[in-house]
Amino acid sequence: MAKTIAEINEKIKTGKAVVFTAEEIIRVAQEKGVKQAAREVDVVTTGTFGIMCSSGAYFNIGHASPRIKLGGGRAYLNDVPAYTGLAAADLFLGANALPDDDPRNRFHPGEFNYGGGHVIEELVAGKDVRLVATAYGTDCYPRKRLETWLNIKDLNEAVLFNIRNAYQNYNVAVNLSDKTIYTYMGMLKPKMGNVNYSSAGQLSPLFNDPFYQTIGIGTRIFLGGGTGFVAWQGTQHNPTVPRTEKGIPKGGAGTLAVIGDLKQMSPKWLVGASVQGYGCSLTVGIGVPIPILNEEILQYTTVTDADIYAQVIDYSDAYPQRRPDTVAEVTYAELKSGKVKIKGKDVPTAARSSYPRAVEIAATLKDWIQTGKFFLTEPVEKLPGAESGVTVKPLRERPIEG
Amino acid sequence: MAVSKKVVLRFPRRMVERPIIYRLAKDYDLEFNILKASITPEQEGLLVLELKGNQAEYDRGIEFLLKAGVQIQSLSQDITRNEERCTQCGACVTVCPTGAFKLDPKTQLVIFNNEKCIGCGLCIPACPPHAMEVHF
């Protein structure tokens, strides 16, 4: 009764594929039982929409006349510096890049109103972006200065390339100190005044395929409102963390590197973000389809928020000092109820990633598959799994003797 | 009939040193709660007040302010959420000191109730996509 991806794609072609979101499948499996559900369901769609800092995009702007070699020079897009360590007409822009004159945290907490993530959003929205570049000039690339408007439709390539997205699980943040702190997990009030978390929980892609049985290199995905692919495991991919009996990692584990054509994406699903006191970033929408090849794969997609545990970490001390201390362990069901009990105290919770938008992504992907617009791919290589021995290592500093 | 309203008052420079709010309390028996004040001598002033009292007295009090040259706006018009920009993340929920943002437990949608908003502005820099707007 095991299905193949090719068989599922045949069903998609004829409009007969049975698709549910990772939220809907919970009820379906309860009603029908896992055995029957696995037989009847072809695909489960997942979704997540949150601030993902290790995001960026590369562009080929086309050659100017006379020619200019951006490589080794300097380039700014709307005053935000882009990376020029590549060839003559290629640029890479990171979501966290800031204009040279941004006050940053000089007056703490800084506002970080505009950075790389905002430039990417504006490009995707079809707005003109100002390029100012300087170069040293060569015999073949004599030009030393270039100022021009760029529009995404005129670029040869505009490619979103995020090296770490869709974390399988994530820290839950509190502040045990006696003053307010501003972190990438948001504003944290003193003495554990609030709890912030950032995961779509039961809808999040890697929670629904915890051992990476179907999601691998080459998996076609919903990315930023268009389609993209899993390019590689993300940086800091850490599959060997402790897991629950059901195989769900209890802390940050797997990650994805993703790639896709920026030209077919939408500013609704790639939103520039300002994180007070921290920096600029990009909010990214990702949805991954999970082919139901057998019962075990379906069983994993029935994960609920009550099955998923996360570690509560003190961001005033343990996190910045890189100490492993954990304040508590909580479930996403507790976090989503609006308050959690930690050390006998009811603490209000807030999400950093958007569950309603994750629902919308999973539903959109479901619709694309049901209407024959989106086909599944067979991964060309698996991601390193729990048995791989791959772990994320902290930096071992080796002082440089003067 | 008793009323309780939040209003934004703008004082022109010539009025900054007159005891306007004292008159509201004394002559119109209005209870006031100052939510935000930025009044500098010799400059324009801005005051966000919650006013409570009898409807008739409230109306007369407002008339007195208008006659005196104070510009008045209802607070709820001044704090808005740009629904196009809002990503429904929830970053505002615990930042707000008055609980003006509530999570729908079923859908996890963030509901903005500007009746509870006191215009403190804490949500403005805390909102990652810059969806919250104050128009003072």
Side-chain angles (χ1 to χ4, degrees), chain A residues 167-171 199 207 248-254 308-310 332:
Chain A
Y167 241 116
Q168 196 169 11
N169 198 344
Y170 212 79
N171 288 346
S199 170
F207 275 141
I248 307 298
K250 293 195 216 181
I308 309 174
Y309 291 82
Y332 279 92

Side-chain angles (χ1 to χ4, degrees), chain A residues 217-372:
Chain A
I217 295 168
T219 297
R220 184 182 284 123
I221 60 172
F222 171 109
L223 179 59
T227 57
F229 294 89
V230 174
W232 203 255
Q233 65 267 33
T235 55
Q236 295 179 24
H237 183 68
N238 193 24
T240 48
V241 295
R243 291 171 184 254
T244 64
E245 271 177 31
K246 291 184 179 175
I248 307 298
K250 293 195 216 181
T255 65
L256 300 177
V258 298
I259 193 163
D261 180 8
L262 199 60
K263 292 190 182 191
Q264 34 101 12
M265 296 185 195
S266 129
K268 181 178 176 186
W269 300 110
L270 290 174
V271 183
S274 300
V275 183
Q276 190 181 19
Y278 182 73
C280 284
S281 192
L282 185 68
T283 308
V284 181
I286 293 181
V288 180
I290 296 176
I292 303 304
L293 304 178
N294 57 46
E295 277 172 37
E296 188 189 3
I297 289 169
L298 180 110
Q299 180 74 58
Y300 285 129
T301 66
T302 62
V303 66
T304 68
D305 287 329
D307 299 323
I308 309 174
Y309 291 82
Q311 306 302 314
V312 181
I313 306 290
D314 173 23
Y315 272 65
S316 73
D317 187 36
Y319 185 84
Q321 299 307 322
R322 213 195 72 204
R323 273 202 303 277
D325 324 6
T326 296
V327 180
E329 201 172 79
V330 294
T331 69
Y332 279 92
E334 292 172 275
L335 288 166
K336 284 183 186 169
S337 75
K339 58 177 195 273
V340 287
K341 210 176 201 76
I342 301 176
K343 293 180 168 169
K345 183 181 169 185
D346 273 337
V347 192
T349 64
R352 301 285 296 165
S353 80
S354 171
Y355 191 76
R357 286 290 173 91
V359 171
E360 202 178 329
I361 289 171
T364 303
L365 187 51
K366 174 182 166 179
D367 177 67
W368 287 358
I369 295 170
Q370 283 177 330
T371 53

